[in-house]
Amino acid sequence: MFLAGLFGWNDTEGTAMKLVPKSSSELVTETLMLELGSHIKRSERQQRERLIEYRRVKSGVDYTWLASIPRQVYQISPGDQLELRDICSKITPSQCGQVILRFRRLMLEFESEGAEIPRLFRSVLQDFVDQEEERKKQQDVHWDKRRRAKSLATISFKPPRLRVNPFQLEDTYGSDTETELAASGRARSKSMPEFCTTREVQ
């Protein structure tokens, strides 16, 4: 009965608790935090092994089967955990694998221990976050330039068109010529002397 109530086997109305799928950001955060925890545990195990080996060499007798070394587990403070989770949430899924590979390579190179591991992990995360922000800025600048060039291309600078009508010009010239001829005719008619014809009376 307990299992039936827990898993909702007898739930015909679907009121049992349903698992909500996690978002990509939550999956990336969980993956990166698990990676950090595994490195902390591995570092502590290696530290204990080195301490046991040092005591064995110093005393010349192996008492590891008789006495066990007390474990000193390093705990990340809640504030540091929240800060690391916040930075992890800014990592994209495509960057998750790259972050893990770089973190592992730096761990092998520097052999960090204890509190140094979260600091190294935070620096790797911050580098990727800064790179992503810089990439987005460059992309925004690129799109702004393309949008501006496109808007300028749509503007057409057309010079005013001069419509030439040859018939209108001929009419104009013709009217001007006729006007000049009429004016010159009137001038000649005024300049010519007046001839009076008298009729002879028989």
Side-chain angles (χ1 to χ4, degrees), residues 30 34 55 58 78 92 111-112 122-123 135 142:
E30 294 297 333
L34 286 175
R55 289 182 178 181
K58 186 177 181 181
T92 60
E111 296 182 354
S112 303
R122 183 186 293 107
S123 65
R135 186 188 67 82
H142 176 69

Side-chain angles (χ1 to χ4, degrees), residues 3-195:
L3 293 177
L6 180 62
F7 292 99
W9 292 338
N10 297 329
D11 186 13
T12 58
E13 297 180 359
T15 58
M17 181 181 62
K18 296 181 180 180
L19 296 178
V20 179
K22 294 183 179 180
S23 63
S24 59
S25 177
E26 292 175 347
L27 291 175
V28 169
T29 301
E30 294 297 333
T31 302
L32 293 176
M33 293 302 293
L34 286 175
E35 182 72 17
L36 173 61
S38 64
H39 280 282
I40 293 176
K41 292 179 180 180
R42 186 181 298 110
S43 175
E44 292 175 350
R45 185 176 64 252
Q46 293 175 354
Q47 188 176 3
R48 287 195 303 269
E49 292 175 354
R50 286 195 297 267
L51 181 59
I52 292 172
E53 183 67 18
Y54 171 76
R55 289 182 178 181
R56 187 184 65 80
V57 172
K58 186 177 181 181
S59 61
V61 182
D62 188 6
Y63 290 107
T64 55
W65 61 273
L66 184 61
S68 60
I69 304 297
R71 294 185 177 182
Q72 298 179 354
V73 180
Y74 173 76
Q75 296 290 339
I76 304 176
S77 64
D80 291 341
Q81 286 187 4
L82 291 176
E83 183 180 358
L84 290 174
R85 285 183 172 275
D86 181 65
I87 301 177
C88 288
S89 63
K90 299 178 182 178
I91 300 296
T92 60
S94 60
Q95 293 178 329
C96 184
Q98 301 176 11
V99 171
I100 292 175
L101 291 177
R102 182 181 296 182
F103 180 53
R104 291 177 180 177
R105 184 171 64 251
L106 293 177
M107 285 293 298
L108 292 175
E109 181 178 353
F110 295 103
E111 296 182 354
S112 303
E113 296 180 355
E116 298 176 354
I117 299 177
R119 286 197 293 266
L120 180 63
F121 185 65
R122 183 186 293 107
S123 65
V124 173
L125 293 175
Q126 194 62 46
D127 287 343
F128 275 87
V129 171
D130 294 340
Q131 291 177 6
E132 182 66 16
E133 291 179 353
E134 184 65 24
R135 186 188 67 82
K136 288 182 179 180
K137 288 181 180 178
Q138 293 179 357
Q139 187 176 5
D140 293 340
V141 171
H142 176 69
W143 282 110
D144 288 340
K145 289 182 178 179
R146 289 189 60 182
R147 191 162 48 246
R148 191 177 306 170
K150 187 176 181 180
S151 62
L152 290 176
T154 56
I155 301 175
S156 58
F157 297 95
K158 296 181 180 180
R161 294 182 179 180
L162 297 177
R163 296 183 178 180
V164 179
N165 191 345
F167 301 101
Q168 184 177 358
L169 291 177
E170 289 179 359
D171 294 343
T172 303
Y173 292 151
S175 61
D176 292 343
T177 305
E178 292 176 357
T179 304
E180 292 177 358
L181 291 175
S184 61
R186 286 195 299 268
R188 278 199 307 270
S189 63
K190 290 182 179 180
S191 60
M192 291 178 64
E194 296 182 358
F195 295 95

